[in-house]
Amino acid sequence: WQTIVGTEDCALSFQRGYGAAGETLLMVALTNVLPRVALQRSLALMGMHEVAAERILVDRIQDPSNPMSTGVTMLRAVVKEPTSSEAWEQMQADLTRVKWLDPAPLALSAAYPWLGLQRAEIACALAELSLSVVSHPLLSRTHVHELLHKHVQVAAAIADVFISRFDPHQPPPDWWTKAEHSGYQVAHETAERALEVQVQKES
């Protein structure tokens, strides 16, 4: 609490070998987050990473230096760690940014744990972007997110391409760098075709 009070930060720590069963005590502190929201999102992330929560205690501590703040939400959970150390580390990273997560990618990744939070965020962000590129009465936000759940394999593949393209540690694929098939050109032509279809329908 002392390390993040007065900031917009989050803090996480854990203690292994807690209790007679040798479980893990997970402690998360989040500023300016309602306790119910912190609990719901944290439980969703734990379930996504196969972390079983045995007991959870949620407290809210008011920030004396800022009466207008919602204070610091303290979440303490007795959990069973997953067998994969990679999943445990990824869950810790996700919990430290849980207050900034949008409900849409969190729900998508919770429904399909294999998708992962990063790919879910990318898929939802590109879906929102499509609403500004193509204007159509049937292309509503609700419909777009329904399509994400219906074609989640396609959404995962698109997210993988996005991650690969903007990975600074590896070169872009050949199909992206070729002049006749450049990523910018493909995106530009797609937007133009969508605009032509819209104009034809309106005329």
Side-chain angles (χ1 to χ4, degrees):
W1 178 79
Q2 291 87 351
T3 60
I4 64 171
V5 64
T7 71
E8 288 292 334
D9 207 353
C10 301
L12 181 145
S13 63
F14 61 91
Q15 174 187 341
R16 287 193 171 100
Y18 181 83
E23 296 159 322
T24 300
L25 176 62
L26 182 67
M27 296 165 284
V28 185
L30 309 101
T31 57
N32 293 320
V33 182
L34 295 176
R36 181 184 293 272
V37 175
L39 178 61
Q40 291 175 339
R41 295 185 180 184
S42 299
L43 284 176
L45 285 176
M46 290 180 191
M48 186 177 66
H49 293 290
E50 299 181 352
V51 175
E54 301 294 329
R55 300 185 301 276
I56 295 182
L57 176 65
V58 181
D59 290 319
R60 186 174 69 173
I61 304 174
Q62 188 63 39
D63 182 1
S65 63
N66 185 7
M68 301 301 294
S69 170
T70 57
V72 178
T73 296
M74 301 288 297
L75 188 147
R76 284 164 285 190
V78 178
V79 302
K80 290 184 178 179
E81 294 186 30
T83 55
S84 170
S85 59
E86 183 179 353
W88 175 249
E89 292 175 0
Q90 185 61 50
M91 188 213 65
Q92 295 180 62
D94 291 342
L95 277 177
T96 55
R97 60 192 188 97
V98 68
K99 63 175 287 185
W100 294 284
L101 291 179
D102 189 78
L106 186 58
L108 185 63
S109 58
Y112 308 95
W114 58 267
L115 181 65
L117 189 57
Q118 183 185 34
R119 292 196 295 184
E121 286 184 296
I122 293 172
C124 289
L126 293 178
E128 292 289 334
L129 182 62
S130 68
L131 294 172
S132 62
V133 175
V134 181
S135 177
H136 192 277
L138 297 179
L139 195 64
S140 64
R141 179 171 285 101
T142 301
H143 181 60
V144 166
H145 285 287
E146 287 177 354
L147 289 176
L148 280 180
H149 285 266
K150 186 177 180 179
H151 304 285
V152 66
Q153 295 282 357
V154 177
I158 295 174
D160 286 335
V161 172
F162 187 92
I163 294 172
S164 175
R165 171 62 186 90
F166 294 100
D167 185 354
H169 302 293
Q170 67 179 25
D174 295 336
W175 62 265
W176 185 277
T177 55
K178 290 181 179 179
E180 64 273 19
H181 299 294
S182 68
Y184 174 79
Q185 184 174 349
V186 171
H188 183 68
E189 291 176 355
T190 303
E192 282 190 339
R193 285 196 298 269
L195 183 59
E196 291 175 1
V197 171
Q198 179 183 351
V199 171
Q200 290 174 0
K201 288 183 177 181
E202 290 179 352
S203 60

